[in-house]
Amino acid sequence: MKLSRYIGNPILKPNEGNQWESKAVFNPAAVYTGGKIHVFYRAVGEYERYISRLGHAILDEDLNLVKRSHEPGFVPEGKGWEKSVEDPRFTLLEGNLYMTYVVTATPGPPGAVRRRLGIPDHGGTYPRTALAEVKDFCNFERLGIITPEDTDERDVVLFPEKIKGRYAVYHRAANWVGPNYGTEFPGIWFAYLDGLNGDMFEHKLVMKSERDWESKKIGAGPPPVKTKEGWLLIYHGVDKNHVYRTGVALLDLEEPWRVIARSPGPIFVPEEEYEMVGDVPNVVFPEGIVNIGDELLIFYGAADKVCCAARVCSDELIDYLLAL
Ligand code: BMA
């Protein structure tokens, strides 16, 4: 089972015309509404400080670009933890649209960029993840940081409905490793949220690194998609050589910490030039998913440089998982 690349990839490249998105545009969130796909992507305009903003583009169902905003759609508050906003994910829940996004108090370029440009590593704090309600793609209500105070968290996805009557997330506490946590490498956790502006509780380890291709860490991709057979979760796995590949799992509808099936090998790997060569080489990083007809359209960042799309028939993906 493999995802099929969109023939028109990349769907978005850095735009020299706008300084804030002139160097890299990647890791897009996506939502399908009113016959259009709205994409919010991570945008970088300089390498030294590597402050990210989120750009906004609108696509039709065939992935033709309808509109791309000249101004960023969402910018960091510029104080406290929110000096940079990164890696958005959209969830439609109870008729409202929400976005999880990574915040950090000390933005800085990734290792590959630092080494290429000779930028020293100034250390810095860990990333956390915040939640906002997206009012109309122009107005946002910030609900605050939802990850525990002392956890390093990037891959937080909100469930599109309550689990056992409570809001819920998958998250990836990168520093929850070792004998006390039951996993040697960063894994995917389930937790309830005690409100949309609230705290996580009752954490349960859902999946940990099992195979070579995901031996360094795993993390959720787009938010889980509900199917009759279970929650479908696309996730990324990173190996010891820092190659990012894509896996998929099916999880129990009522108890989404129970894995029904999980792909033994990746269903998507960097193999096109735009995935292998960029600011961070060999990265496919899915963050957006929309369901149109019998297809799932998956939106991903490639090599931390461009935005791309791939597709798969949802029934075929489920059949593959159930036959494992
Ligand atoms: C993660 C995040 C992503 C990035 C990925 C690959 O830690 O920083 O934004 O796409 O690494 O570099």
Side-chain angles (χ1 to χ4, degrees), residues 22 28 32 42 60 94 105 116 127 175 208 214 286 308:
S22 58
Y32 180 55
R42 182 175 177 187
D60 68 16
E94 299 171 335
R116 182 163 53 86
N175 51 335
K208 49 186 178 178
E214 49 173 31
C308 296

Side-chain angles (χ1 to χ4, degrees), residues 40 52-54 72-86 97-103 129-135 138-146 196-198:
F40 268 61
S52 297
R53 299 166 179 83
L54 303 182
F74 189 73
V75 295
E77 272 185 315
K79 54 181 191 196
W81 279 90
E82 206 180 296
K83 305 275 176 35
S84 177
V85 291
E86 308 173 0
L97 182 63
Y98 295 94
M99 177 176 79
T100 57
Y101 61 101
V102 173
V103 295
T129 296
L131 185 66
E133 187 183 335
V134 184
K135 299 288 190 186
C138 293
N139 294 295
F140 298 80
E141 184 184 344
R142 283 174 164 82
L143 300 170
I145 292 176
I146 55 169
L196 287 175
N197 54 355

Side-chain angles (χ1 to χ4, degrees), residues 26-27 42 86-87 110 154-155 172 217 236 242 244 280 283 285 287 301 303-304:
F26 54 113
N27 298 2
R42 182 175 177 187
E86 308 173 0
D87 295 358
R154 300 198 74 94
D155 304 309
R172 205 281 306 278
K217 56 184 173 182
H236 64 257
H242 211 71
Y244 278 71
V280 180
V283 176
F285 199 87
E287 286 196 3
D304 284 12

Side-chain angles (χ1 to χ4, degrees), residues 27 32-33 67 138 212 223-224 237 249 254-255 286 303 309:
N27 298 2
Y32 180 55
T33 173
K67 189 175 169 199
C138 293
D212 276 357
E254 314 250 295
E255 300 189 333

Side-chain angles (χ1 to χ4, degrees), residues 17-35:
N18 297 327
Q19 198 278 334
W20 59 273
E21 57 170 353
S22 58
K23 297 290 186 241
V25 296
F26 54 113
N27 298 2
V31 63
Y32 180 55
T33 173

